[in-house]
Amino acid sequence: MNEPDQKQLSNDRSAILRSIPSVEILAQSLELFDMPQLLVNRIIRKELETIRKDLTESCSGNGQNQPPGRESIEARIQSRLRSTARTRLQSVINGTGVVLHTNLGRSPLSEDVLHQVSDIATGYSNLELNINTGKRGSRGAYAEWLLEAICQSEASAIVNNCAAALVLILKEFTSADKREVIISRGELVQIGGGFRIPDILESSGAILKEVGTTNQTTLEDYQRAIGPATAMILKVHQSNFSMEGFVESPEREALARLARESGVPLVEDLGSGAIVPTDNWPGTQREPMPHEILKSGVDLVCFSGDKLFGGPQAGIIAGTQPLIYRLKHNPFFRCLRCDKMILKALEVTAENYLDHEMASKSGGHNRMESMIHQSVEALSIRAGAILQSLPPAKTAMTLEISKMDSTVGGGTLPNARIPSAGIGIRGGNNSDRTIKPSAIHAFLLHHNIAPIISRIENDSVMIDLRTIDSSDDEKISRILAHLIESQNIQ
Ligand SMILES: *Cc1c(COP(=O)(O)O)cnc(C)c1O
């Protein structure tokens, strides 16, 4: 490249860079987003930096690149702002029919829980003050009373989640010369996104001592594995899958007896842990209940606060007094302690379990249970009312009351299919184009009234009303009216 070319290029480059509008000018001309202006400016600045960098790099190539026009810069920034705004924690309409949806926050809390949490959260409380003595008290003491009544256990402890409970238990009961944790090969499960029991075990410094086979583990298998290095026996509820056929595992009572005779603790990770018998629910089997497991001789159980318990994210540990005492005195316990809002939410959720009068009035002990007990008829009537409210479709789309199945989710009751009803949407063929289910799904997901999370089944988009509060029906009507009036979905 000769001298004049070089000069020309650098002139071009600075002209192009100068043509890029400033943050202030862009901030004024863009669509408004409900985000603090300082954040908007920061996102614009970062995006402009990227645009400048791209330009500088492409200019130093052949110098032939056209600068992006003002419109395309604005569009690019607009889309970055929009996608950032969507990451804000916000309410969504859960039309998936998955009652405990981990991606959607698992169990919703009821209003009465929230009111009581709000009183505690906005002021001071006796979180760690014993009002009887005026001295320091223990966090969560009353919640523990309630949990012990529910689990019929001598003692209990509360931590951040069930995974944390498991790590705490492993840390406490393993030591340098007793590191082996005996677990059946049929229970080395993965729960949800990357949470693998073997990895958790190993990260806590425990050594996995696998026994039996995937489908067969006998008492003798456990017996043979017990030795001087045994720290504990762990049972893990299979949670998100079930095995049928030639499947065997020893009776809990027998395993508990073996553990007691060998002087090693027997711990069971229940994951979900049902507080009411789930075999009375429509389409569901029996999920193990903490009090039954403890009664059969297991020393400790742990389960989640936001699965079948129906409360906030927490890990609940229940069992014998000496073992719980040890857990609470482990230095790591301090790292897993819950906040006041969580403890209050857990406390109210637990109180509601012990108040049967309240449960029979509101159709369940908590919102999750009330959702599960809604009848198909009631849901169909709601679907009918929503469809009635809609204008006639302009595009070739069919909307109808559909029968479907809800699931419990959250890695619990994997075979449960709860008969349900909602709205099914099929995109038909217009003369010139086909409306794809994925396009309808995306329209609902990105709607600015509220994101509706639907599911696609047999080329239909399904909105299951079981997991949607009836107070949202009016929003759904407006969004669906918008959908069928839209001409540009494809
Ligand atoms: C869900 C689950 C966990 C994890 O519970 P979190 O409260 O999400 O930490 C652990 N073990 C089992 C068996 C589970 O099903």
Side-chain angles (χ1 to χ4, degrees), residues 102 106 160-164 166 189 191 195 197 236-240 269-272 302-307 313-315 410-412:
T102 298
R106 290 200 186 147
N160 283 326
N161 52 41
C162 187
L166 196 55
V189 298
I191 298 132
F195 176 99
I197 292 291
V236 180
H237 184 50
Q238 286 161 349
S239 292
N240 48 5
D269 172 14
L270 286 179
S272 208
C302 58
F303 55 97
S304 286
D306 56 355
K307 291 187 183 170
Q313 180 188 302
T412 69

Short mmCIF file of all heavy atoms in Angstrom, two decimals, residues 102 106 160-164 166 189 191 195 197 236-240 269-272 302-307 313-315 410-412, ligand 1:
data_model
loop_
_atom_site.label_atom_id
_atom_site.label_comp_id
_atom_site.label_asym_id
_atom_site.label_seq_id
_atom_site.Cartn_x
_atom_site.Cartn_y
_atom_site.Cartn_z
N THR A 102 -38.77 -26.16 37.62
CA THR A 102 -37.55 -25.60 38.20
C THR A 102 -37.15 -24.29 37.50
O THR A 102 -36.75 -23.34 38.15
CB THR A 102 -36.41 -26.63 38.17
OG1 THR A 102 -36.83 -27.74 38.97
CG2 THR A 102 -35.14 -26.09 38.77
N ARG A 106 -40.16 -23.18 40.63
CA ARG A 106 -40.78 -24.25 41.44
C ARG A 106 -42.09 -23.80 42.10
O ARG A 106 -42.94 -23.27 41.42
CB ARG A 106 -39.79 -24.80 42.45
CG ARG A 106 -38.69 -25.61 41.75
CD ARG A 106 -38.01 -26.56 42.73
NE ARG A 106 -36.88 -27.23 42.09
CZ ARG A 106 -35.78 -27.59 42.75
NH1 ARG A 106 -35.64 -27.37 44.04
NH2 ARG A 106 -34.82 -28.21 42.11
N ASN A 160 -29.99 -23.86 53.00
CA ASN A 160 -30.45 -23.18 51.78
C ASN A 160 -31.19 -24.02 50.76
O ASN A 160 -32.08 -23.54 50.08
CB ASN A 160 -29.24 -22.56 51.07
CG ASN A 160 -28.81 -21.30 51.76
OD1 ASN A 160 -29.64 -20.58 52.29
ND2 ASN A 160 -27.53 -21.05 51.81
N ASN A 161 -30.80 -25.24 50.58
CA ASN A 161 -31.52 -26.12 49.65
C ASN A 161 -31.11 -27.56 49.96
O ASN A 161 -30.25 -27.80 50.81
CB ASN A 161 -31.26 -25.75 48.19
CG ASN A 161 -29.78 -25.64 47.87
OD1 ASN A 161 -28.99 -26.45 48.34
ND2 ASN A 161 -29.41 -24.66 47.10
N CYS A 162 -31.72 -28.48 49.26
CA CYS A 162 -31.49 -29.89 49.59
C CYS A 162 -30.07 -30.31 49.21
O CYS A 162 -29.46 -31.15 49.88
CB CYS A 162 -32.55 -30.74 48.88
SG CYS A 162 -32.50 -32.46 49.35
N ALA A 163 -29.53 -29.70 48.14
CA ALA A 163 -28.16 -30.02 47.75
C ALA A 163 -27.21 -29.62 48.88
O ALA A 163 -26.28 -30.37 49.23
CB ALA A 163 -27.80 -29.29 46.46
N ALA A 164 -27.45 -28.46 49.47
CA ALA A 164 -26.62 -27.98 50.59
C ALA A 164 -26.77 -28.92 51.79
O ALA A 164 -25.78 -29.21 52.48
CB ALA A 164 -27.02 -26.56 50.96
N LEU A 166 -27.33 -32.05 51.74
CA LEU A 166 -26.58 -33.26 51.46
C LEU A 166 -25.08 -33.04 51.67
O LEU A 166 -24.39 -33.88 52.28
CB LEU A 166 -26.88 -33.68 50.01
CG LEU A 166 -26.52 -35.09 49.62
CD1 LEU A 166 -27.16 -36.10 50.54
CD2 LEU A 166 -26.96 -35.34 48.17
N VAL A 189 -28.03 -40.99 40.83
CA VAL A 189 -28.87 -40.30 39.85
C VAL A 189 -28.37 -38.88 39.56
O VAL A 189 -27.59 -38.31 40.30
CB VAL A 189 -30.33 -40.24 40.35
CG1 VAL A 189 -30.89 -41.63 40.49
CG2 VAL A 189 -30.45 -39.50 41.67
N ILE A 191 -29.99 -35.17 38.99
CA ILE A 191 -31.22 -34.44 39.20
C ILE A 191 -31.13 -33.11 38.49
O ILE A 191 -30.32 -32.27 38.84
CB ILE A 191 -31.48 -34.19 40.70
CG1 ILE A 191 -31.62 -35.53 41.41
CG2 ILE A 191 -32.71 -33.36 40.94
CD1 ILE A 191 -30.80 -35.61 42.65
N PHE A 195 -26.84 -31.65 38.26
CA PHE A 195 -26.68 -32.00 39.67
C PHE A 195 -26.61 -33.52 39.77
O PHE A 195 -27.62 -34.21 39.69
CB PHE A 195 -27.87 -31.45 40.47
CG PHE A 195 -27.87 -31.82 41.94
CD1 PHE A 195 -27.42 -30.92 42.89
CD2 PHE A 195 -28.33 -33.05 42.37
CE1 PHE A 195 -27.43 -31.26 44.23
CE2 PHE A 195 -28.34 -33.40 43.71
CZ PHE A 195 -27.88 -32.50 44.64
N ILE A 197 -25.49 -36.87 41.85
CA ILE A 197 -25.19 -37.34 43.20
C ILE A 197 -23.70 -37.74 43.34
O ILE A 197 -23.06 -37.32 44.29
CB ILE A 197 -26.15 -38.47 43.60
CG1 ILE A 197 -27.58 -37.91 43.75
CG2 ILE A 197 -25.70 -39.17 44.87
CD1 ILE A 197 -27.78 -36.98 44.94
N VAL A 236 -30.75 -42.56 48.10
CA VAL A 236 -31.18 -41.38 47.34
C VAL A 236 -32.45 -41.74 46.59
O VAL A 236 -32.50 -42.75 45.87
CB VAL A 236 -30.09 -40.92 46.34
CG1 VAL A 236 -30.57 -39.71 45.56
CG2 VAL A 236 -28.81 -40.61 47.07
N HIS A 237 -33.48 -40.92 46.78
CA HIS A 237 -34.73 -41.17 46.08
C HIS A 237 -34.51 -40.95 44.59
O HIS A 237 -33.87 -39.98 44.17
CB HIS A 237 -35.80 -40.23 46.60
CG HIS A 237 -37.13 -40.48 45.99
ND1 HIS A 237 -37.69 -41.74 45.94
CD2 HIS A 237 -38.02 -39.66 45.40
CE1 HIS A 237 -38.86 -41.66 45.34
NE2 HIS A 237 -39.08 -40.42 45.00
N GLN A 238 -35.02 -41.87 43.77
CA GLN A 238 -34.74 -41.80 42.34
C GLN A 238 -35.37 -40.60 41.65
O GLN A 238 -35.05 -40.28 40.52
CB GLN A 238 -35.15 -43.10 41.65
CG GLN A 238 -34.16 -44.21 41.98
CD GLN A 238 -34.71 -45.59 41.72
OE1 GLN A 238 -35.91 -45.73 41.49
NE2 GLN A 238 -33.87 -46.58 41.76
N SER A 239 -36.28 -39.93 42.32
CA SER A 239 -36.83 -38.64 41.88
C SER A 239 -37.39 -38.64 40.46
O SER A 239 -38.58 -38.85 40.26
CB SER A 239 -35.80 -37.52 41.99
OG SER A 239 -35.52 -37.26 43.33
N ASN A 240 -36.52 -38.38 39.49
CA ASN A 240 -37.06 -38.06 38.17
C ASN A 240 -37.17 -39.24 37.21
O ASN A 240 -37.35 -39.07 36.03
CB ASN A 240 -36.23 -36.94 37.53
CG ASN A 240 -34.74 -37.23 37.63
OD1 ASN A 240 -34.36 -38.31 38.08
ND2 ASN A 240 -33.93 -36.30 37.20
N ASP A 269 -31.75 -39.15 51.16
CA ASP A 269 -32.05 -37.91 50.44
C ASP A 269 -33.35 -38.14 49.69
O ASP A 269 -33.39 -38.86 48.69
CB ASP A 269 -30.91 -37.59 49.46
CG ASP A 269 -31.23 -36.42 48.55
OD1 ASP A 269 -32.20 -35.69 48.83
OD2 ASP A 269 -30.49 -36.23 47.56
N LEU A 270 -34.42 -37.51 50.19
CA LEU A 270 -35.73 -37.73 49.58
C LEU A 270 -35.98 -36.81 48.40
O LEU A 270 -36.92 -37.01 47.63
CB LEU A 270 -36.83 -37.49 50.62
CG LEU A 270 -36.99 -38.56 51.68
CD1 LEU A 270 -38.09 -38.17 52.64
CD2 LEU A 270 -37.34 -39.89 51.01
N GLY A 271 -35.18 -35.75 48.28
CA GLY A 271 -35.40 -34.79 47.19
C GLY A 271 -36.66 -34.00 47.43
O GLY A 271 -36.65 -32.89 47.93
N SER A 272 -37.79 -34.63 47.13
CA SER A 272 -39.05 -33.92 47.22
C SER A 272 -39.69 -34.07 48.60
O SER A 272 -39.91 -33.10 49.30
CB SER A 272 -39.99 -34.42 46.15
OG SER A 272 -40.86 -33.41 45.80
N CYS A 302 -33.39 -35.72 54.24
CA CYS A 302 -33.37 -34.33 53.79
C CYS A 302 -34.26 -34.21 52.57
O CYS A 302 -34.45 -35.17 51.82
CB CYS A 302 -31.93 -33.86 53.51
SG CYS A 302 -31.03 -34.81 52.29
N PHE A 303 -34.86 -33.04 52.42
CA PHE A 303 -35.72 -32.76 51.26
C PHE A 303 -35.80 -31.27 51.00
O PHE A 303 -35.41 -30.46 51.83
CB PHE A 303 -37.12 -33.39 51.44
CG PHE A 303 -37.85 -32.98 52.69
CD1 PHE A 303 -38.79 -31.95 52.67
CD2 PHE A 303 -37.62 -33.64 53.90
CE1 PHE A 303 -39.48 -31.58 53.82
CE2 PHE A 303 -38.30 -33.26 55.06
CZ PHE A 303 -39.22 -32.23 55.03
N SER A 304 -36.32 -30.91 49.81
CA SER A 304 -36.38 -29.51 49.39
C SER A 304 -37.57 -28.79 49.99
O SER A 304 -38.63 -29.38 50.17
CB SER A 304 -36.53 -29.43 47.87
OG SER A 304 -35.35 -29.76 47.23
N GLY A 305 -37.41 -27.49 50.22
CA GLY A 305 -38.53 -26.68 50.69
C GLY A 305 -39.46 -26.29 49.56
O GLY A 305 -40.64 -26.00 49.78
N ASP A 306 -38.96 -26.28 48.32
CA ASP A 306 -39.79 -25.76 47.23
C ASP A 306 -40.23 -26.82 46.22
O ASP A 306 -40.59 -26.51 45.10
CB ASP A 306 -39.09 -24.59 46.52
CG ASP A 306 -37.70 -24.94 46.00
OD1 ASP A 306 -37.21 -26.06 46.26
OD2 ASP A 306 -37.10 -24.08 45.33
N LYS A 307 -40.16 -28.07 46.62
CA LYS A 307 -40.77 -29.11 45.77
C LYS A 307 -42.14 -29.44 46.38
O LYS A 307 -42.93 -28.53 46.60
CB LYS A 307 -39.85 -30.32 45.66
CG LYS A 307 -38.58 -30.01 44.86
CD LYS A 307 -37.77 -31.27 44.63
CE LYS A 307 -36.46 -30.97 43.90
NZ LYS A 307 -35.59 -32.16 43.90
N GLN A 313 -37.41 -21.85 48.56
CA GLN A 313 -36.21 -22.66 48.39
C GLN A 313 -35.54 -22.87 49.74
O GLN A 313 -35.23 -21.90 50.44
CB GLN A 313 -35.23 -21.97 47.45
CG GLN A 313 -33.97 -22.81 47.27
CD GLN A 313 -32.89 -22.08 46.50
OE1 GLN A 313 -33.10 -21.65 45.39
NE2 GLN A 313 -31.73 -21.95 47.11
N ALA A 314 -35.38 -24.09 50.14
CA ALA A 314 -34.73 -24.42 51.41
C ALA A 314 -34.40 -25.89 51.40
O ALA A 314 -34.91 -26.65 50.56
CB ALA A 314 -35.65 -24.10 52.59
N GLY A 315 -33.53 -26.29 52.30
CA GLY A 315 -33.24 -27.70 52.49
C GLY A 315 -33.62 -28.05 53.92
O GLY A 315 -33.21 -27.36 54.85
N GLY A 410 -40.29 -30.84 38.87
CA GLY A 410 -39.32 -30.67 39.96
C GLY A 410 -38.66 -31.98 40.33
O GLY A 410 -38.24 -32.18 41.46
N GLY A 411 -38.58 -32.88 39.37
CA GLY A 411 -37.96 -34.18 39.64
C GLY A 411 -38.76 -35.02 40.61
O GLY A 411 -38.20 -35.80 41.37
N THR A 412 -40.09 -34.85 40.63
CA THR A 412 -40.89 -35.69 41.52
C THR A 412 -41.98 -36.40 40.74
O THR A 412 -42.41 -35.90 39.70
CB THR A 412 -41.56 -34.86 42.64
OG1 THR A 412 -42.55 -34.05 42.02
CG2 THR A 412 -40.58 -33.99 43.36
C1 LIG B 1 -34.21 -32.08 43.73
C2 LIG B 1 -33.34 -33.00 44.45
C3 LIG B 1 -32.21 -32.52 45.13
C4 LIG B 1 -31.82 -31.08 45.08
O1 LIG B 1 -32.70 -30.27 45.80
P1 LIG B 1 -32.52 -28.69 45.79
O2 LIG B 1 -33.43 -28.21 46.88
O3 LIG B 1 -32.89 -28.21 44.45
O4 LIG B 1 -31.10 -28.40 46.11
C5 LIG B 1 -31.42 -33.43 45.78
N1 LIG B 1 -31.73 -34.74 45.80
C6 LIG B 1 -32.82 -35.23 45.17
C7 LIG B 1 -33.09 -36.70 45.22
C8 LIG B 1 -33.68 -34.38 44.48
O5 LIG B 1 -34.74 -34.85 43.84
#
